[in-house]
Amino acid sequence: MLQQTGAKASGTGVKVVGPADGKSGSLGMIGVRFMIDGDETEGRFSLVEHPMAPRALAAPLHRHLREDEYSFVLEGSVGALLGDEVVIAGPGDLLFKPRNQWHTFWNAGDEPARILEIIAPSGFERFFDELVGLGGAVNADPRALAELCERYGLEMQPDTIPGLIERFGLRAPGDTA
């Protein structure tokens, strides 16, 4: 059994990230925990964890112009709108969200959900870090959020949030009930 008290990396690139390791924060509608930064992989990929409250929408409809995302479901039920297709994934399933594809995802269940998000190539993890610094998408100044999206090659459609909430029976951002 492996025991450790924090993320450790040796000169050979070995790193162990425990279940409580890594910086974490709120993106407004879901959480983020930073596990492997692109600087550690020579830019090939980064890895974050997204914990999601029951029925939480992760983001409005959006697309990435520079990176692909791979979401591995650890627990719970995760819904995704990938282009025009709606899918529901459970523990052990992997969702592929290629660059330039309009998509969003959400916790489709009444229990917490968690995914590991592989971002390739890396770089977009810094968007999440900056978004945490802005207080999350819900609290960010709209101009600051638009500038952040442009800098990271992210196109977002915030006006899709009400329709997504209604269509998939989700909680509105900031709704704690």
Side-chain angles (χ1 to χ4, degrees), residues 19 23 54-55 58 80 85 140 149 161 171:
K23 176 181 161 186
R55 299 282 170 193
E85 190 170 346
C149 289
I161 291 174
R171 292 185 304 108

Side-chain angles (χ1 to χ4, degrees), residues 89-164:
D93 290 336
L94 180 72
L95 297 167
F96 173 47
K97 299 176 284 187
R99 71 190 73 192
N100 296 314
Q101 181 184 65
W102 287 100
H103 67 277
T104 190
F105 61 100
W106 59 89
N107 180 342
D110 295 321
E111 300 296 327
R114 287 185 308 130
I115 62 171
L116 288 178
E117 186 95 296
I118 301 164
I119 304 164
S122 70
F124 196 75
E125 72 279 10
R126 291 189 288 275
F127 172 91
F128 293 140
D129 191 38
E130 290 188 47
L131 186 56
V132 168
L134 292 175
V138 175
N139 297 318
D141 173 77
R143 283 180 293 204
L145 182 58
E147 191 277 331
L148 184 65
C149 289
E150 180 158 336
R151 232 176 336 110
Y152 284 96
L154 179 69
E155 295 178 354
M156 217 178 345
Q157 297 179 344
D159 59 321
T160 62
I161 291 174
L164 292 166

Side-chain angles (χ1 to χ4, degrees), residues 21-45:
D21 295 338
K23 176 181 161 186
S24 61
S26 173
L27 299 176
M29 296 189 268
I30 63 171
V32 63
R33 180 168 70 109
F34 300 91
M35 300 178 75
I36 298 176
D37 189 85
D39 293 339
E40 299 171 83
T41 66
E42 298 177 347
R44 291 185 301 271
F45 74 95

